[in-house]
Amino acid sequence: MSEMLKVAVLGAKGRMGTAAVAAINAAQDMELVAALGRADSLDVLLERGAQVIVDLTVPDSTEANIHFAVEHGIHAVVGTTGWDAARLAALEALLAKHPETGVLIAPNFALGSVLATRFAAQAARYFDSVEIIELHHPRKVDAPSGTALRTAQLVAAARAAAGVPDAPDATETELDGARGASIDGIPVHSVRLAGLVAHQEVLLGSHGEALTIRHDSFNHESFMPGVLLGVRTVGSRPGLTVGLDGYMDLDG
Amino acid sequence: MSEMLKVAVLGAKGRMGTAAVAAINAAQDMELVAALGRADSLDVLLERGAQVIVDLTVPDSTEANIHFAVEHGIHAVVGTTGWDAARLAALEALLAKHPETGVLIAPNFALGSVLATRFAAQAARYFDSVEIIELHHPRKVDAPSGTALRTAQLVAAARAAAGVPDAPDATETELDGARGASIDGIPVHSVRLAGLVAHQEVLLGSHGEALTIRHDSFNHESFMPGVLLGVRTVGSRPGLTVGLDGYMDLDG
Amino acid sequence: MSEMLKVAVLGAKGRMGTAAVAAINAAQDMELVAALGRADSLDVLLERGAQVIVDLTVPDSTEANIHFAVEHGIHAVVGTTGWDAARLAALEALLAKHPETGVLIAPNFALGSVLATRFAAQAARYFDSVEIIELHHPRKVDAPSGTALRTAQLVAAARAAAGVPDAPDATETELDGARGASIDGIPVHSVRLAGLVAHQEVLLGSHGEALTIRHDSFNHESFMPGVLLGVRTVGSRPGLTVGLDGYMDLDG
Amino acid sequence: MSEMLKVAVLGAKGRMGTAAVAAINAAQDMELVAALGRADSLDVLLERGAQVIVDLTVPDSTEANIHFAVEHGIHAVVGTTGWDAARLAALEALLAKHPETGVLIAPNFALGSVLATRFAAQAARYFDSVEIIELHHPRKVDAPSGTALRTAQLVAAARAAAGVPDAPDATETELDGARGASIDGIPVHSVRLAGLVAHQEVLLGSHGEALTIRHDSFNHESFMPGVLLGVRTVGSRPGLTVGLDGYMDLDG
């Protein structure tokens, strides 16, 4: 029988952390060796022999956590935000000195959402028009969503790289806001509706056809298969990987 | 065997008129007795014994056409726009003197669209949130579409009449336009996408559920069943009816 | 200030009952006077002065519960299944002797689902084709769902009553099952997909257009607004009402 | 200025051929040098100096056409069906003797459909459940559609290769046909609805999330961008390529 992978969760008391603890406990091939909160010492990771950490803490503490892990040869899967260019550069410099250690920084762990964004970016150059509709519960404070912003930027960049002209649009009279927000030229529409959770549609259209890529997130469990995929894979991918799709086999 | 209904089309050379002529010719229970263009005299209607006219002309001529018909006891089905409150009042006064003649003025003949608007207005008071997404080909010059505007107004009026509070919306930071245009408080989002024709979704949401009413118009034939329903019914509905749903049996 | 409505829940320990207790406790205009389980005596209803009961028990006990309530002038909102024609007839006979008491028997309390079914039945006669797709979590044991069956039956009955011919279908070669189950001639397709909850689409199509009525139930809270609407209304509707849409204002 | 590409269409009188002739005439970088029907001699291709042929004929004649082209160093884009394993092997043997000539055999030229199938196959291994719904006009004689069959086979093969277990399904009582046709274990549901054209949805679900990939084909123009992409690319891709996605840049 193969050895169990020793995993620790940092930020284990938060909503995401609680779900990660449950998912790791339920995984047949993993052993949860530590579930650390804000006040706990990272030395516990060494005492318990953690091989992989899952960091779901806060922007203020994630960098120190990851540097500690890398310096001790512990692989890291990071869901915390706040990794700007300077932090990424410092981390890459550190990883260069620990060439067998892997770090995954993933802005999104929902496999369906990661795939939806990737497919949208790949398809974008082959259509005349692209627009994005994101739909969320009405407690959300920002519009558009971060995922929609990122998708629009990737779509726009792919179209620019392929030399695709602007989408046709004959609008002459518009009520303010009807055509959505423009993100690098891609219209993004934000719906806020009681009952919904988190949903996104990318609509691509051309000459008599349309392709729609829709992702529905019904609850926070949806992130856990992606976290487990990260934990299982990070040990075999030394260096820094940004984005969970870097661990997915999408050549077929 | 029952007598054929004698029908004339005014504005028979336009896109809608051409389709109406074809639909009436194909109908087993109708006889097309005249297909008039801009220059033709209305006296032809009398010579040919028209019982019902279908007016698909232009705002400038529709009022004179309909008055002529009513004065001669010919029923009228009107798809032309431009019937403001003053024109409607004058028409009702005229109809009062011709109590056996019927006129239908319909802003939309697509049965599915008429039903979608009606259902949205009926359901609106039972949900916390309502938003509208309309999607059209990119040659359309106005945003939102006229149908979306009218739907939003009816939805807003139904909610106001029932005392429904504003939909919840915690948005604090918004990129300009992301939350759509506000029509009487109902957000309306306009997508313009190559490949599409004319589509509308009304999304209603509340406590763990959503109801979506979507209408797709794939081509202009979609208007013809509604025109034929109007032609068949107008003779038995004296006076003025506005909106094709007035002729539909929706109590069941 | 208006008096609070005194409400009792029967079957208060079940999943639906637990949610109903919470919803009534949260309602400003209601007082929960009893939450009864299987072993509790119905006499508690009289001691506490219950004005309305919500019955969410089991088919074996619901008839006795409702007869007890009606005999004591307590109005009843019933979500329990098992009310066949014989039971309904017996209840109507009993209500005839208690002409001021009201009973609502509702197979479904989700307002959106009730509206979706009603709208589908109303629209069915105006389209050439109707098909139903229902989508549920993969733990569901029956296919199609009860709601889809009932919707198909109502749609088929409405089309038969209006003399609508069978939907066109040129299928010559079919892999077994591809065209779905036929319920009174209406094709019904059942999807079972991990991640989903409970969803239904009725697709209606004709001459270049389609109307789609979709209901999404994301969680069991979706039933509670319908239960509260029933509790608030039942006292003013003596006699038997079957179906929550009987309490909704849908003439507008 | 760059030279125009000299293109000939075979099967130019058919519905697809007519559209291809129009598309090539409209393309700025192509010159239509021949539009051949059933009775025309292939020698015209040589007389007019055709560099690329587009074969939209019938299964009986496509093989001879393509061999003729390859033997004369003319590249070929093939939309005709009927290329079984034996024909493909013979063509590859012939191409081995003409190493600078390219042939594209594409079962589908709609870019959106090609992408939808590819994305579905790539994503299939990352979800617990996959089902396919295809929706077409009611004049279609086969169910499921050929595209749905092919998509299901690719999805099933991808899941088998990755060792994904069967999708969960607790169905115990099923009305015959409700759960669709099973293609290599993937349920496929076929809707036939007046008004529709050609549409397909692949639904993928897992742990609280769903990914839906939908393609809508609104008219036959949708095939033309794919045909033009094939014509422009085939000259730079010697040997045999099966599937238009082989010419698309999808690594990004």
Side-chain angles (χ1 to χ4, degrees):
Chain A
M1 198 200 108
S2 69
E3 204 98 345
M4 303 272 272
L5 195 60
K6 293 182 176 177
V7 185
V9 175
L10 279 60
K13 307 288 165 53
R15 195 181 53 184
M16 286 283 287
T18 304
V21 163
I24 291 162
N25 274 325
Q28 305 281 334
D29 56 345
M30 299 180 194
E31 180 188 357
L32 183 77
V33 297
L36 304 188
R38 188 173 302 229
D40 296 313
S41 163
L42 295 179
D43 291 335
V44 176
L45 302 175
L46 310 181
E47 293 160 15
R48 307 266 174 91
Q51 297 167 285
V52 178
I53 64 164
V54 177
D55 185 277
L56 301 166
T57 59
V58 292
D60 278 356
S61 63
T62 184
E63 186 174 31
N65 294 339
I66 304 312
H67 281 240
F68 178 93
V70 172
E71 284 162 0
H72 293 88
I74 302 173
H75 310 293
V77 171
V78 185
T80 314
T81 57
W83 286 85
D84 57 23
R87 284 180 167 192
L88 291 172
L91 178 57
E92 291 206 288
L94 181 64
L95 281 163
K97 299 182 209 158
H98 301 270
E100 307 208 333
T101 304
V103 174
L104 169 69
I105 296 182
N108 192 338
F109 282 108
L111 297 180
S113 179
V114 169
L115 289 170
T117 298
R118 182 186 165 98
F119 292 157
Q122 286 182 327
R125 61 183 285 189
Y126 294 104
F127 290 86
D128 292 344
S129 308
V130 186
E131 303 209 2
I132 297 173
I133 304 171
E134 54 92 349
L135 313 95
H136 283 82
H137 57 83
R139 299 175 306 284
K140 187 167 182 61
V141 296
D142 52 323
S145 68
T147 300
L149 278 176
R150 188 155 170 274
T151 306
Q153 289 162 349
L154 291 171
V155 161
R159 287 167 69 85
V164 178
D166 288 348
D169 184 354
T171 307
E172 287 172 14
T173 59
E174 180 196 355
L175 280 183
D176 194 34
R179 292 286 291 114
S182 174
I183 310 298
D184 297 352
I186 306 298
V188 180
H189 310 270
S190 299
V191 173
R192 297 292 173 263
L193 202 84
L196 295 188
V197 186
H199 318 261
Q200 181 171 302
E201 284 188 0
V202 181
L203 293 90
L204 306 108
S206 210
H207 299 82
E209 67 167 343
L211 176 67
T212 304
I213 300 170
R214 179 177 174 115
H215 181 253
D216 295 280
S217 183
F218 296 114
N219 63 52
H220 293 290
E221 281 179 55
S222 65
F223 295 97
M224 290 309 122
V227 170
L228 297 183
L229 175 64
V231 169
R232 287 188 182 108
T233 311
V234 67
S236 60
R237 301 288 179 100
L240 176 64
T241 303
V242 176
L244 188 61
D245 49 338
Y247 283 10
M248 300 173 84
D249 177 9
L250 298 170
D251 300 327
Chain B
M1 199 200 107
S2 68
E3 204 97 347
M4 303 271 273
L5 195 59
K6 294 183 176 177
V7 185
V9 175
L10 279 60
K13 307 289 164 56
R15 195 182 53 185
M16 287 282 288
T18 305
V21 163
I24 290 162
N25 275 325
Q28 305 280 335
D29 56 345
M30 299 180 194
E31 180 189 357
L32 183 75
V33 297
L36 305 187
R38 188 173 301 230
D40 296 314
S41 162
L42 295 179
D43 292 335
V44 176
L45 301 175
L46 309 180
E47 293 160 14
R48 308 266 174 92
Q51 297 167 285
V52 178
I53 64 163
V54 177
D55 185 275
L56 301 166
T57 58
V58 292
D60 277 356
S61 62
T62 184
E63 187 175 29
N65 294 339
I66 304 312
H67 281 241
F68 178 92
V70 171
E71 284 162 1
H72 292 88
I74 303 172
H75 310 292
V77 171
V78 185
T80 315
T81 57
W83 286 86
D84 57 23
R87 284 181 167 190
L88 291 172
L91 179 57
E92 290 206 287
L94 181 64
L95 281 164
K97 298 183 208 155
H98 300 270
E100 307 207 335
T101 305
V103 175
L104 168 68
I105 296 183
N108 192 338
F109 282 107
L111 298 179
S113 180
V114 169
L115 289 169
T117 299
R118 182 186 165 98
F119 293 157
Q122 286 182 326
R125 60 181 287 190
Y126 294 105
F127 290 86
D128 292 345
S129 307
V130 186
E131 303 208 1
I132 297 174
I133 304 172
E134 54 93 347
L135 313 95
H136 282 81
H137 57 84
R139 299 175 305 284
K140 189 167 181 59
V141 295
D142 52 323
S145 67
T147 300
L149 277 176
R150 188 155 170 274
T151 306
Q153 288 162 350
L154 291 171
V155 161
R159 288 167 68 84
V164 178
D166 287 349
D169 184 353
T171 307
E172 288 172 12
T173 60
E174 180 197 355
L175 280 183
D176 194 35
R179 292 284 292 113
S182 175
I183 310 297
D184 298 351
I186 306 297
V188 179
H189 310 270
S190 299
V191 173
R192 296 292 172 264
L193 202 83
L196 296 187
V197 186
H199 317 262
Q200 180 171 301
E201 284 188 0
V202 182
L203 294 90
L204 306 107
S206 210
H207 299 83
E209 66 168 343
L211 176 66
T212 303
I213 299 171
R214 178 177 175 116
H215 180 252
D216 295 280
S217 182
F218 296 115
N219 62 53
H220 294 289
E221 281 180 55
S222 64
F223 296 97
M224 290 309 122
V227 170
L228 297 184
L229 175 64
V231 169
R232 289 189 182 106
T233 310
V234 67
S236 61
R237 302 288 180 98
L240 177 62
T241 303
V242 176
L244 189 60
D245 48 339
Y247 283 10
M248 299 173 85
D249 177 9
L250 298 170
D251 301 327
Chain C
M1 199 200 107
S2 68
E3 204 98 347
M4 304 270 272
L5 195 61
K6 293 183 176 176
V7 185
V9 175
L10 279 61
K13 307 289 163 56
R15 195 181 54 186
M16 286 282 287
T18 304
V21 163
I24 291 162
N25 274 325
Q28 305 280 336
D29 56 345
M30 298 180 195
E31 179 189 356
L32 182 76
V33 296
L36 303 188
R38 187 173 304 229
D40 295 315
S41 163
L42 295 179
D43 292 336
V44 176
L45 301 175
L46 309 181
E47 294 161 13
R48 307 266 173 92
Q51 297 167 287
V52 178
I53 63 164
V54 177
D55 185 278
L56 301 166
T57 57
V58 292
D60 278 355
S61 63
T62 183
E63 187 175 28
N65 294 339
I66 304 312
H67 281 241
F68 180 92
V70 172
E71 284 162 0
H72 292 89
I74 302 172
H75 309 293
V77 171
V78 186
T80 315
T81 57
W83 286 85
D84 56 23
R87 284 182 167 189
L88 291 172
L91 179 57
E92 290 206 287
L94 181 65
L95 281 163
K97 299 184 208 156
H98 300 271
E100 307 208 333
T101 305
V103 175
L104 168 69
I105 295 182
N108 191 337
F109 282 107
L111 297 180
S113 179
V114 169
L115 289 170
T117 299
R118 181 188 167 97
F119 292 157
Q122 286 181 327
R125 62 181 288 189
Y126 295 105
F127 290 86
D128 293 344
S129 308
V130 185
E131 304 210 2
I132 298 174
I133 304 171
E134 53 93 348
L135 314 95
H136 283 82
H137 57 83
R139 299 175 305 284
K140 188 167 182 60
V141 296
D142 52 323
S145 68
T147 299
L149 277 177
R150 188 155 171 274
T151 305
Q153 289 162 350
L154 292 171
V155 161
R159 288 166 69 84
V164 178
D166 288 349
D169 184 355
T171 307
E172 288 172 11
T173 60
E174 180 197 354
L175 281 183
D176 194 35
R179 292 284 292 114
S182 174
I183 310 297
D184 298 352
I186 306 298
V188 179
H189 310 270
S190 299
V191 173
R192 298 291 173 263
L193 202 83
L196 296 187
V197 187
H199 317 262
Q200 180 170 301
E201 283 189 0
V202 182
L203 293 89
L204 306 108
S206 210
H207 298 81
E209 66 167 343
L211 176 66
T212 303
I213 300 171
R214 178 178 174 114
H215 180 253
D216 296 280
S217 182
F218 297 114
N219 62 52
H220 294 288
E221 280 179 57
S222 65
F223 296 97
M224 290 310 122
V227 171
L228 297 183
L229 175 64
V231 169
R232 288 188 182 109
T233 311
V234 67
S236 61
R237 301 288 180 98
L240 176 63
T241 303
V242 176
L244 188 60
D245 48 338
Y247 284 10
M248 300 173 84
D249 177 9
L250 298 170
D251 300 327
Chain D
M1 197 199 109
S2 68
E3 205 96 347
M4 303 272 272
L5 195 60
K6 293 181 176 177
V7 185
V9 175
L10 279 61
K13 306 289 163 55
R15 195 180 53 186
M16 286 281 288
T18 305
V21 163
I24 290 162
N25 274 326
Q28 306 280 335
D29 55 344
M30 299 180 196
E31 179 189 356
L32 182 76
V33 297
L36 303 187
R38 189 173 302 228
D40 296 315
S41 163
L42 296 179
D43 292 335
V44 176
L45 301 175
L46 309 181
E47 293 162 12
R48 308 267 174 91
Q51 296 167 286
V52 178
I53 63 164
V54 176
D55 185 278
L56 300 166
T57 57
V58 292
D60 277 356
S61 63
T62 184
E63 186 174 29
N65 294 339
I66 304 313
H67 281 241
F68 179 91
V70 172
E71 284 162 0
H72 292 89
I74 302 172
H75 309 293
V77 171
V78 185
T80 314
T81 57
W83 286 86
D84 57 23
R87 285 182 167 190
L88 292 172
L91 179 57
E92 290 206 289
L94 180 66
L95 281 163
K97 299 182 209 158
H98 300 271
E100 307 207 334
T101 305
V103 175
L104 168 69
I105 295 182
N108 192 338
F109 283 108
L111 297 179
S113 179
V114 169
L115 289 170
T117 299
R118 181 186 165 99
F119 293 158
Q122 286 181 327
R125 61 182 287 189
Y126 295 105
F127 290 85
D128 293 344
S129 309
V130 185
E131 303 210 2
I132 298 174
I133 303 171
E134 54 92 348
L135 313 96
H136 283 82
H137 57 83
R139 299 175 306 284
K140 189 168 180 60
V141 295
D142 53 323
S145 68
T147 300
L149 278 176
R150 188 154 171 275
T151 306
Q153 289 162 349
L154 292 171
V155 161
R159 288 166 69 85
V164 177
D166 288 348
D169 184 355
T171 306
E172 289 172 12
T173 60
E174 179 197 355
L175 280 183
D176 194 34
R179 292 284 292 113
S182 175
I183 310 297
D184 298 352
I186 305 299
V188 179
H189 310 270
S190 299
V191 173
R192 296 292 172 265
L193 202 83
L196 296 187
V197 186
H199 317 263
Q200 180 171 301
E201 284 188 0
V202 182
L203 293 90
L204 306 106
S206 211
H207 299 83
E209 66 167 343
L211 176 67
T212 303
I213 300 171
R214 177 177 175 116
H215 180 253
D216 295 279
S217 182
F218 297 114
N219 63 51
H220 294 288
E221 280 179 56
S222 64
F223 296 97
M224 290 310 121
V227 170
L228 297 183
L229 175 64
V231 169
R232 287 188 183 108
T233 311
V234 67
S236 61
R237 301 289 180 99
L240 176 63
T241 302
V242 176
L244 189 60
D245 49 339
Y247 284 9
M248 300 173 83
D249 177 10
L250 298 169
D251 301 326

